[in-house]
Amino acid sequence: MRIDLHSHSTASDGTDTPADLVRAAATAGLDVVALTDHDTTAGWDEAVAALPSRMTLVRGMEMSCTGRGEDGHPVAVHLLAYLFDPADPVFAAERERLRTERVGRIRAMAYRMAEDGLLPDPESVVEAAGPVAGRPHLARALVEAGVVPTVGAAFTDLLSPRGRYYVPKDDTALEDAVRMVTAAGGVTVLAHARARARGRLLALDHVEELVDHGLGGLEAEHPDHDAADVRLMRDMAANLGLFVTGSSDYHGANKDIGIGRFTTHPAALEELIARTSGVEVVVG
Ligand code: AMP
Ligand code: FE
Ligand code: FE
Ligand code: ZN
């Protein structure tokens, strides 16, 4: 069984439609794929409708959160949430708030770039980005404007948290997010917690505190983790009684990683499912 529990479609900052994504998963030889767009469940129904036969879909999301950094200051953290009830009113309202934060923040960044002549028409970039606007949408616009050669190059400087165009957004406090997803019948997995290329890292003792709030698992194998990061996540998970996942974090053409590049052990998926009561997995 080949299982990839982290992927993004055009419902957030990937380039495959949800239908194309589940078909790409089948072509790559996967048996199970999770759709985990940032802060939205908007791609779920299309993915279900297009699910190839015998492919299992785990409906999920990647939530934008704030944790305590190793230096004690706030740090952006991503929390994967699976099989929660999308109608839970508290969680649905928080997702809506996060999307509003996203659009306002990308608009502010686009206008700053336009002031410096980098983007000719910032409003059209915001419009094209849609309701889950993210920095990859700005990156593609910068590539199209000929400012940078690749999406990746846009992140090294122009879109970096240390860069002059960066605007922060007000994300959900990590423990609140874990509690909210758990209350909605879902289970949480801390995403790429050691991805230092993205910026500062989450304090490891903050990870331990999340266990009391209901954290379910840690993502170990991930394109932004090296062998030592994977070992650390696996050791921590074993010590804290959490399950371990491995995933590609596929974003279509916005990243160089193919779907199924890293995978999750079937026993971990079983544990994940056993901890949920929101929605069920769907089998095509
Ligand atoms: P945002 O959600 O607006 O904070 O943007 C973060 C997103 O940018 C992540 O979810 C990734 O999809 C993408 N990203 C971050 N770093 C890079 C990078 N170096 N190259 C390509 N995409 C990146
Ligand atoms: Fe992303
Ligand atoms: Fe992420
Ligand atoms: Zn992701």
Side-chain angles (χ1 to χ4, degrees), residues 45-138:
D45 290 351
E46 185 185 319
V48 169
L51 203 58
S53 64
R54 292 185 303 279
M55 169 70 64
T56 296
L57 176 70
V58 179
R59 288 173 283 181
M61 197 186 87
E62 185 175 22
M63 194 172 178
S64 306
C65 299
T66 303
R68 187 173 70 249
E70 288 176 325
D71 56 5
H73 293 288
V75 66
V77 181
H78 285 170
L79 184 73
L80 292 157
Y82 298 100
L83 301 174
F84 55 85
D85 173 8
D88 178 273
V90 175
F91 190 29
E94 184 62 5
R95 294 198 296 276
E96 178 74 41
R97 190 190 69 77
L98 287 172
R99 292 192 293 268
T100 304
E101 283 286 318
R102 279 184 167 277
V103 174
R105 179 272 198 129
I106 290 302
R107 177 173 281 112
M109 290 182 71
Y111 276 82
R112 280 191 190 183
M113 290 175 166
E115 272 175 29
D116 282 0
L118 298 183
L119 289 177
D121 184 359
E123 198 54 42
S124 77
V125 174
V126 178
E127 225 167 85
V132 193
R135 283 178 288 160
H137 296 106
L138 286 178

Side-chain angles (χ1 to χ4, degrees), residues 56-280:
T56 296
L57 176 70
V58 179
R59 288 173 283 181
M61 197 186 87
E62 185 175 22
M63 194 172 178
S64 306
C65 299
T66 303
R68 187 173 70 249
E70 288 176 325
D71 56 5
H73 293 288
V75 66
V77 181
H78 285 170
L79 184 73
L80 292 157
Y82 298 100
L83 301 174
F84 55 85
D85 173 8
D88 178 273
V90 175
F91 190 29
E94 184 62 5
R95 294 198 296 276
E96 178 74 41
R97 190 190 69 77
L98 287 172
R99 292 192 293 268
T100 304
E101 283 286 318
R102 279 184 167 277
V103 174
R105 179 272 198 129
I106 290 302
R107 177 173 281 112
M109 290 182 71
Y111 276 82
R112 280 191 190 183
M113 290 175 166
E115 272 175 29
D116 282 0
L118 298 183
L119 289 177
D121 184 359
E123 198 54 42
S124 77
V125 174
V126 178
E127 225 167 85
V132 193
R135 283 178 288 160
H137 296 106
L138 286 178
R140 289 199 86 80
L142 289 165
V143 172
E144 273 159 37
V147 175
V148 286
T150 62
V151 165
F155 274 90
T156 46
D157 179 24
L158 293 174
L159 297 174
S160 152
R162 292 167 297 274
R164 82 188 232 95
Y165 302 105
Y166 190 81
V167 175
K169 54 188 168 61
D170 182 22
D171 291 334
T172 313
L174 202 41
E175 39 276 283
D176 292 347
V178 170
R179 271 199 300 265
M180 248 181 243
V181 174
T182 309
V187 66
T188 49
V189 172
L190 195 58
H192 49 70
R194 304 302 286 173
R196 64 185 62 71
R198 296 169 184 239
R200 293 152 45 250
L201 292 179
L202 180 67
L204 291 178
D205 53 6
H206 197 174
V207 179
E208 292 182 28
E209 291 164 31
L210 296 174
V211 178
D212 293 334
H213 298 290
L215 181 70
L218 299 179
E219 190 175 57
E221 287 83 1
H222 181 280
D224 295 350
H225 281 175
D226 65 20
D229 299 328
V230 171
R231 226 174 301 122
L232 177 64
M233 288 298 99
R234 286 187 162 272
D235 288 349
M236 274 195 81
N239 290 334
L240 297 172
L242 304 173
F243 61 83
V244 165
T245 67
S247 298
S248 67
D249 200 355
Y250 177 69
H251 279 70
N254 276 345
K255 288 189 184 174
D256 292 333
I257 308 292
I259 197 162
R261 175 71 183 79
F262 297 100
T263 55
T264 295
H265 196 280
L269 176 61
E270 265 178 46
E271 198 175 325
L272 183 158
I273 293 170
R275 292 182 60 144
T276 60
S277 59
V279 294
E280 304 206 328

